[in-house]
């Protein structure tokens, strides 16, 4: 690993300087020819190095390494982080905890040996590392439990065994107690206790009834084996005898499921728990539930003296009938009733206690007026009853706590940011998004004045600081770096690279930086975009174009690693990825301008970008394609209904009918954020803005990429409708369905599925733009394919009845 000093986006460059030596004709001749020879040899050497590198492939994802959830030790000497890799079967991800010194100069080393270790948290004295460990049963992770690794030496050990596991652990400042959250309820504990008693009874019965090992047979030297895995057999029998648990869902709420999480269970709200911190594996401790009731709690923050725990909740059964709101509570860790301190008319997150223990900082967005998009701001509120929050960044027109996104954030155990107070309480450290970058900055607590702490074309993903805030560690992503750890000494302001986690792979790859461009749209707005070109790009040639549209709609592309774009470019495509109106990182007005007009003028921004790319002279205007996911899938559907300029389209996790989506998504639009009224009161608005309305205009061959458990944009409100309509119209179309995949398919889905997604997107474009045969996309391919016996060619089954 190389530990390069300087800013994260520094790259090795070769500078050639020409100069004139006035030594007379002979000396000049010799020197010029010597320089020519040296330059020629240098070019050969560089060409040899270039030739040794290869283009990135879709399957390189299997070898990616991600860094998540960095945590700096209290003394500022070491960083613990989660190292995320693809597992051996390439069906999931492994997470383990590693460490590296803040001073750099050493390779990271592994701290924990589990396959599902995450959430490292240093004890206040730095002598222990708390983390979550999920063991495996039948090849699947069990609920995670609290575990500790003694930093002086010795093995780690788990010390909770809750049926629904533990999450969000937070050390008390005195280091004696740990608060955490769990969905476990009293019924779960009762069932667990009964099962353990039954297991013990069965083990005893099996032991008493099992014959003693028979003597060794003559000449064998070994006794006959006793029955194998008696404890396992007893456990399985106890499980089989357990009380039947119904798997049906009785739904009474409008929001009843969550994408990537599944069906919500009102019987298992998330509550606060507390447990003494064990010093050794032999010390048995008992976790206790601190809060109860039917409402969930979260955002645990300890008071400085460990005498109180602050947390958030919202004790309203159906909050979707109201604008976002959060209630702030405190409770004694020894027990008792919680005290309500405040009710704040915003959805707040990421609480952070001031050094004097009298204020809390948080990230939130105002709720009035009701917008499609409202920028998040940095707020401070006193911990006195009903104190009024103060907005520090009301005049700062960028997204505090936000930034750009890509397809290569850690797919597991990424962690989260919270605002960090400086030791003197005068400033808060937080990220913000600005024009395609995510920047780490400090904000003055009195004036809100902002000062950048990081610089360059990059995205700061996660950050933490030492107890005295003199050192900050953070992860950085760039278009040619997935993510790596950096340390910043606040006194000098100079960053230091701590890891080069993907060097083994990336040193072999020919990755290129995208070109940033901007262009003027129809109404004069400037649109920022990036162009990812093939590694061997030649401006004199003509290339096929892929227009890639981001979702959200209130998100942003930018200076961050995008495996998808790098691979598409490696396959010979030029990739255009713009931030049309509605994108974040350009101010409140730019983000909210699409309210009640989505899709609409953003489509014009996208087409202006395609026109600009063609005008640059290296795009073949007969080989244009378009794709996008989520809101980008919606816009892909919209694009092909408005123009026939594209030779192929791939719509991913999309929306075709706003009305059908309104009824089936995993969140509600009961407030007038995107639409002024529900579909039964505003039918025309829903119809006008739905791509399905324009299906008769579509002539573009289309592929649909769908996750079969996508609850954010359910397939029945998107690709399934478009596919059936296009089949009726005999427009070439294919639907690619991914079992067990949610809306997160492209970012954290199963590794094999992520690779197959990329293969199918580019495969569709290869077929329609490049003329490459793809028999799998044909109804009757020329080559022989397996056919189910029930689907005998020439024999048509009657349609099923609807009952």
């Amino acid at each position: 690993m190389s530990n390069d000093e300087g800013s994260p986006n520094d790259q090795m460059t070769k500078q050639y300087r020409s100069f004139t030596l006035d030594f007379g004709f002979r000396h000049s001749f010799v020197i010029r020819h010597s320089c020519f020879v040296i330059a020629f040899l240098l070019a050969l050497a560089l060409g040899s190095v270039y030739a040794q590198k290869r283009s990135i492939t879709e399957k390189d994802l299997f070898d990616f390494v991600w860094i998540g959830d960095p945590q700096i030790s209290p003394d500022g000497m070491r960083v613990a982080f989660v190292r995320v890799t693809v597992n051996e079967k390439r069906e999931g991800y492994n997470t383990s905890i590693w460490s590296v010194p803040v001073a750099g100069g050493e390779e990271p080393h592994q701290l924990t040996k589990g396959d599902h270790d995450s959430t490292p948290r240093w004890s206040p004295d730095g002598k222990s590392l708390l983390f979550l460990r999920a063991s495996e049963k039948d090849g699947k992770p069990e609920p995670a439990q609290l575990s500790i690794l003694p930093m002086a030496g010795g093995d780690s050990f788990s010390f909770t065994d809750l049926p629904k596991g533990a999450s969000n652990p937070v050390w008390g400042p005195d280091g004696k107690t740990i608060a955490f959250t769990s969905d476990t309820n009293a019924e779960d504990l009762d069932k667990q206790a009964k099962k353990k008693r039954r297991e013990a009874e069965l083990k005893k019965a099996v032991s008493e009834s099992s014959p003693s090992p028979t003597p060794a047979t003559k000449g064998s030297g070994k006794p006959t084996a006793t029955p194998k895995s008696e404890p396992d057999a007893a456990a399985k029998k106890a499980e089989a005898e357990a009380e039947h648990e119904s798997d049906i869902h009785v739904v009474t709420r409008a929001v009843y499921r969550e994408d990537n999480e599944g069906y919500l269970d009102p019987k298992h709200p998330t509550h606060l728990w507390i447990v003494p911190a064990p010093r050794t594996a032999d010390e048995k401790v008992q976790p206790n539930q601190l809060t109860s009731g039917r409402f969930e709690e979260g955002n645990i923050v300890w008071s400085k003296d460990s005498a109180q725990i602050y947390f958030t909740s919202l004790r309203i059964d159906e909050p979707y009938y109201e604008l976002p709101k959060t209630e702030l509570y405190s409770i004694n860790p020894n027990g008792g009733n919680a005290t309500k301190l405040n009710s704040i008319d915003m959805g707040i997150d990421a609480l952070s206690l001031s050094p004097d223990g009298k204020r809390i900082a948080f990230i939130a967005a105002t709720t009035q007026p009701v917008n499609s998009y409202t920028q998040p701001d940095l707020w401070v509120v006193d911990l006195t009853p009903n104190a009024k929050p103060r907005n520090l960044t009301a005049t700062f027109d960028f997204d505090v706590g936000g930034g750009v996104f890509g397809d290569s954030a850690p797919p597991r155990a990424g962690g989260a940011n919270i605002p960090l107070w400086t030791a003197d309480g005068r400033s808060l450290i937080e990220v913000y998004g600005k024009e395609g970058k995510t920047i780490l900055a400090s904000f003055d607590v009195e004036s809100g004045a902002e000062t950048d702490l990081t610089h360059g074309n990059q995205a700061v993903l996660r950050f933490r600081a030492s107890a005295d805030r003199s050192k900050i560690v953070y992860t950085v992503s760039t278009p040619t770096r997935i993510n790596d750890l950096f340390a910043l000494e606040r006194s000098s302001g100079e960053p230091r690279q701590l890891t080069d986690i993907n060097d083994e792979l990336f040193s072999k790859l020919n990755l290129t930086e995208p070109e940033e461009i901007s262009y003027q749209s129809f109404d004069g707005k400037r649109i920022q975009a990036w162009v990812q070109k093939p590694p061997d790009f030649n401006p004199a040639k003509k290339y096929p174009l892929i227009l890639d549209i981001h979702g959200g709609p209130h998100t942003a592309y930018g200076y961050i690693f995008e495996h998808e774009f790098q691979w598409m470019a490696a396959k010979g495509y030029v990739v255009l990825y713009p931030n049309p109106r509605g994108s974040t990182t350009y101010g409140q007005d730019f983000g909210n301008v699409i309210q009640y007009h989505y899709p609409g003028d953003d489509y014009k921004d996208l087409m202006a970008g395609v026109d600009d790319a063609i005008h640059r002279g290296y795009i073949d205007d007969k080989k244009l394609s378009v794709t996008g996911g989520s809101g980008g899938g919606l816009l892909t559907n919209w694009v092909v209904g408005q123009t026939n300029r594209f030779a192929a389209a791939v719509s991913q996790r999309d929306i075709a009918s706003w009305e059908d989506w309104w009824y089936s998504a995993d969140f509600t639009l009961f407030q007038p954020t995107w639409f002024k009224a529900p579909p039964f009161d505003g039918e025309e608005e829903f119809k006008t803005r739905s791509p399905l309305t324009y299906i008769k205009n579509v002539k573009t061959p289309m592929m649909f990429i769908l996750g079969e458990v996508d609850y954010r944009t359910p397939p029945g409100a998107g690709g399934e409708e478009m596919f059936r309509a296009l089949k009726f119209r005999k427009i070439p179309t294919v639907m690619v369905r991914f079992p067990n995949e949610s809306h997160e398919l492209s970012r954290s889905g199963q590794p094999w599925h992520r690779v197959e997604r990329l293969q199918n997107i580019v495969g569709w474009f290869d077929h329609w733009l490049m003329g490459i045969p793809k028999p799998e996309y044909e109804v009757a391919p020329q080559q022989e394919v397996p056919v189910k016996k029930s689907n005998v060619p020439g024999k048509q089954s009657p349609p099923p009845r609807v009952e």
Side-chain angles (χ1 to χ4, degrees):
M1 179 189 72
S2 63
N3 292 291
D4 299 327
E5 298 284 342
S7 63
N9 58 320
D10 283 347
Q11 297 187 359
M12 296 298 292
T13 60
K14 298 292 182 181
Q15 294 184 335
Y16 299 93
R17 297 181 180 178
S18 60
F19 53 90
T20 302
L21 298 177
D22 188 16
F23 288 165
F25 175 79
R26 182 176 298 177
H27 294 88
S28 176
F29 179 84
V30 172
I31 291 171
R32 287 173 185 170
H33 280 73
S34 298
C35 288
F36 175 80
V37 172
I38 293 171
F40 177 74
L41 293 174
L42 181 59
L44 284 177
L46 287 173
S48 176
V49 172
Y50 181 86
Q52 290 173 5
K53 291 197 172 187
R54 63 171 176 83
S55 296
I56 194 170
T57 73
E58 77 280 27
K59 292 183 181 178
D60 282 325
L61 180 140
F62 295 144
D63 296 318
F64 285 178
V65 181
W66 297 269
I67 291 176
D69 207 1
Q71 300 287 325
I72 190 168
S73 59
D75 61 6
M77 300 299 290
R78 299 199 68 84
V79 184
F81 62 90
V82 182
R83 185 177 186 268
V84 187
T85 57
V86 172
N87 69 14
E88 189 175 353
K89 292 183 178 180
R90 299 175 174 179
E91 295 174 349
Y93 303 90
N94 288 341
T95 58
S96 54
I97 298 172
W98 292 56
S99 179
V100 68
V102 174
E106 293 181 18
E107 292 285 341
H109 72 274
Q110 191 168 356
L111 295 179
T112 68
K113 302 297 184 181
D115 288 335
H116 304 287
D117 296 343
S118 67
T119 322
R121 299 292 183 265
W122 295 94
S123 61
D125 60 8
K127 294 181 179 180
S128 300
L129 189 68
L130 173 69
F131 66 97
L132 297 178
R133 167 166 289 170
S135 58
E136 286 196 0
K137 182 178 181 181
D138 298 327
K140 296 181 180 179
E142 290 280 275
Q145 305 294 342
L146 297 180
S147 306
I148 278 182
L149 175 69
M151 297 309 294
D155 294 333
S156 62
F157 58 91
S158 297
F159 58 95
T160 62
D161 183 27
L162 293 171
K164 298 295 182 182
S167 57
N168 305 307
V170 183
W171 285 94
D174 60 9
K176 298 178 180 178
T177 313
I178 298 163
F180 63 97
T181 61
S182 179
D183 298 348
T184 301
N185 63 21
E187 185 179 353
D188 298 326
L189 294 172
D190 184 54
K191 287 181 179 179
Q192 183 187 57
K194 287 180 180 178
K195 182 180 176 182
K196 287 183 177 180
R197 286 195 299 269
R198 183 58 178 154
E199 283 180 16
E201 293 170 359
L202 288 169
K203 287 177 185 177
K204 183 179 180 182
V206 169
S207 177
E208 291 175 350
S209 62
S210 297
S212 300
T214 56
T217 57
K218 190 174 182 179
S220 70
K222 295 181 181 179
T224 303
T226 56
K228 188 180 180 182
S229 300
E230 291 173 359
D232 290 345
K236 287 183 178 179
K237 188 173 181 181
E239 194 169 326
E241 293 178 358
E243 184 180 336
H244 168 72
E245 290 191 22
S246 175
D247 58 359
I248 68 170
H249 302 283
V250 178
V251 176
T252 60
R253 291 170 167 82
V255 176
Y256 57 90
R257 58 187 184 181
E258 183 177 351
D259 188 70
N260 210 39
E261 298 294 332
Y263 279 76
L264 305 180
D265 186 357
K267 292 183 180 179
H268 288 90
T270 301
H271 286 308
L272 269 60
W273 289 65
I274 202 159
V275 64
R279 288 162 293 184
T280 66
D282 295 328
E283 183 180 351
K284 303 304 177 185
V285 293
Q286 181 64 42
N288 293 304
Q289 187 173 334
L290 196 57
T291 60
S292 60
R294 64 183 187 274
F295 302 105
E296 298 198 340
E297 296 103 14
N299 287 308
I300 296 171
V301 175
W302 284 86
S303 64
K304 295 295 179 180
D305 58 4
S306 299
Q308 293 289 320
I309 295 175
Y310 303 105
F311 64 93
T312 60
S313 184
L314 183 58
R315 304 198 169 176
I316 299 174
D317 285 304
E318 297 188 271
Y320 36 76
Y321 290 126
E322 304 178 20
L323 292 173
K325 184 183 297 184
T326 306
E327 295 165 348
L328 181 63
Y329 291 85
S330 67
I331 192 170
N332 190 310
N334 296 318
N337 294 324
T339 301
K340 184 177 176 180
L341 294 176
N342 213 331
S343 181
I344 298 170
D345 291 333
M346 295 179 287
I348 72 175
D349 202 4
L351 304 188
S352 180
L353 187 66
S354 63
D356 61 8
K358 296 179 179 180
R359 294 171 291 176
I360 276 184
F362 58 89
I363 301 294
T366 58
T367 58
Q368 294 284 0
V370 177
N371 292 323
S372 174
Y373 174 71
T374 301
Q375 279 186 162
D377 281 306
L378 182 58
W379 300 73
V380 171
V381 65
D382 292 338
L383 285 172
T384 54
N386 302 314
K388 184 179 179 180
R390 184 166 59 90
N391 188 350
L392 303 186
T393 54
T395 59
F396 183 71
D397 198 21
F398 294 105
D399 306 77
V400 181
V404 300
F405 84 106
D407 63 3
S408 295
R412 300 288 185 274
N417 294 326
I418 61 171
L420 298 179
W421 294 81
T422 54
D424 58 10
R426 295 179 179 177
S427 299
L428 283 158
I429 300 168
E430 183 55 277
V431 295
Y432 74 95
K434 179 180 180 181
E435 297 170 355
K437 292 174 275 191
T438 307
I439 301 166
L440 186 66
S442 67
F443 296 85
D444 186 275
V445 172
E446 294 305 317
S447 67
E450 179 271 331
T451 303
D452 287 355
L453 300 177
T454 59
H455 308 274
N457 295 332
Q458 62 184 29
V460 175
L461 304 180
R462 295 288 177 262
F463 65 92
R464 283 293 184 273
S466 57
D468 63 4
R469 301 303 193 253
S470 63
K471 301 172 184 176
I472 303 173
V473 295
Y474 55 96
T475 55
V476 163
S477 179
T478 73
T480 56
R481 181 195 304 278
I482 293 179
N483 66 347
D484 270 306
L485 269 172
F486 288 78
L488 179 71
E489 302 280 348
R490 293 197 65 214
S491 58
S492 67
E494 289 298 319
R496 177 172 56 253
Q497 185 173 342
L498 305 183
T499 66
D500 200 350
I501 204 79
N502 283 286
D503 180 62
E504 183 178 351
L505 172 64
F506 277 31
S507 63
K508 304 171 186 174
L509 302 181
N510 185 20
L511 300 175
T512 60
E513 294 282 341
E515 178 189 359
E516 179 187 331
I517 65 171
S518 69
Y519 56 88
Q520 186 169 297
S521 192
F522 71 99
D523 59 354
K525 275 188 169 53
R526 298 299 300 180
I527 305 299
Q528 186 182 29
W530 290 264
V531 178
Q532 186 74 56
K533 300 171 183 175
D536 57 352
F537 177 75
N538 180 350
K541 292 176 62 177
K542 296 284 189 178
Y543 291 88
L545 176 76
I546 298 175
L547 169 64
D548 208 308
I549 310 170
H550 72 64
H554 304 299
T555 54
Y557 283 142
Y559 287 102
I560 195 168
F561 189 77
E562 296 277 8
H563 180 210
E564 179 175 326
F565 303 162
Q566 288 281 356
W567 184 61
M568 287 172 168
K571 292 283 288 182
Y573 293 88
V574 168
V575 185
L576 171 67
Y577 53 108
N579 281 336
R581 67 192 66 205
S583 301
T584 59
T585 78
Y586 301 96
Q588 172 62 33
D589 292 342
F590 191 89
N592 192 58
V593 71
I594 65 172
Q595 186 178 29
Y596 309 140
H597 303 284
Y598 172 64
D601 290 344
D602 43 1
Y603 160 75
K604 297 177 183 178
D605 295 341
L606 296 170
M607 294 306 100
V610 174
D611 294 339
D612 182 88
I614 293 172
H615 183 70
R616 292 171 183 269
Y618 49 75
I619 298 300
D620 186 338
D621 62 4
K622 298 295 189 294
K623 294 182 178 180
L624 307 179
S625 59
V626 57
T627 188
S630 190
L634 166 76
L635 275 165
T636 297
N637 292 343
W638 183 266
V639 164
V640 296
Q642 308 298 314
T643 178
N644 293 317
R645 73 190 303 189
F646 292 93
V650 178
S651 182
Q652 310 169 52
R653 311 181 321 280
D654 60 308
I655 297 172
S657 165
W658 276 118
E659 180 175 359
D660 294 339
W661 180 84
W662 191 95
Y663 288 115
S664 59
D666 67 340
F667 67 96
T668 65
L669 287 186
F670 287 6
Q671 304 300 323
T673 50
W674 291 1
F675 290 88
K676 298 175 183 178
F680 41 82
D681 287 333
E683 181 179 355
E684 191 57 34
E685 182 185 10
F686 278 79
K687 184 178 179 181
T688 301
R689 290 164 56 188
S690 292
L692 195 61
T693 302
Y694 310 96
I695 195 68
K696 291 182 180 180
N697 299 338
V698 179
K699 297 179 181 178
T700 307
M702 292 197 75
M703 172 181 281
F704 300 94
I705 301 282
L706 306 175
E708 292 196 336
V709 289
D710 184 344
Y711 298 147
R712 183 59 44 83
T713 54
E720 289 181 355
E721 293 183 317
M722 294 286 289
F723 174 79
R724 181 61 60 88
L726 292 177
K727 290 300 292 185
F728 180 84
R729 296 190 55 242
K730 298 183 180 180
I731 303 296
T733 185
V734 167
M735 182 164 52
V736 184
R737 304 177 67 93
F738 289 79
N740 304 312
E741 292 295 354
S742 72
H743 202 64
E744 292 299 306
L745 166 63
S746 63
R747 296 177 286 267
S748 61
Q750 294 180 28
W752 260 119
H753 282 168
R754 293 175 68 181
V755 167
E756 289 174 307
R757 167 186 166 271
L758 293 174
Q759 289 172 337
N760 277 283
I761 294 170
V762 173
W764 188 250
F765 294 152
D766 282 348
H767 181 56
W768 289 102
L769 275 68
M770 313 305 291
I772 298 175
K774 293 288 180 178
E776 62 268 34
Y777 301 146
E778 303 293 337
V779 173
Q782 297 301 312
Q783 67 185 54
E784 186 176 343
V785 292
V787 179
K788 292 183 179 180
K789 291 182 179 180
S790 58
N791 295 337
V792 180
K795 185 175 181 180
Q796 185 174 5
S797 300
R801 291 183 297 173
V802 179
E803 296 179 332

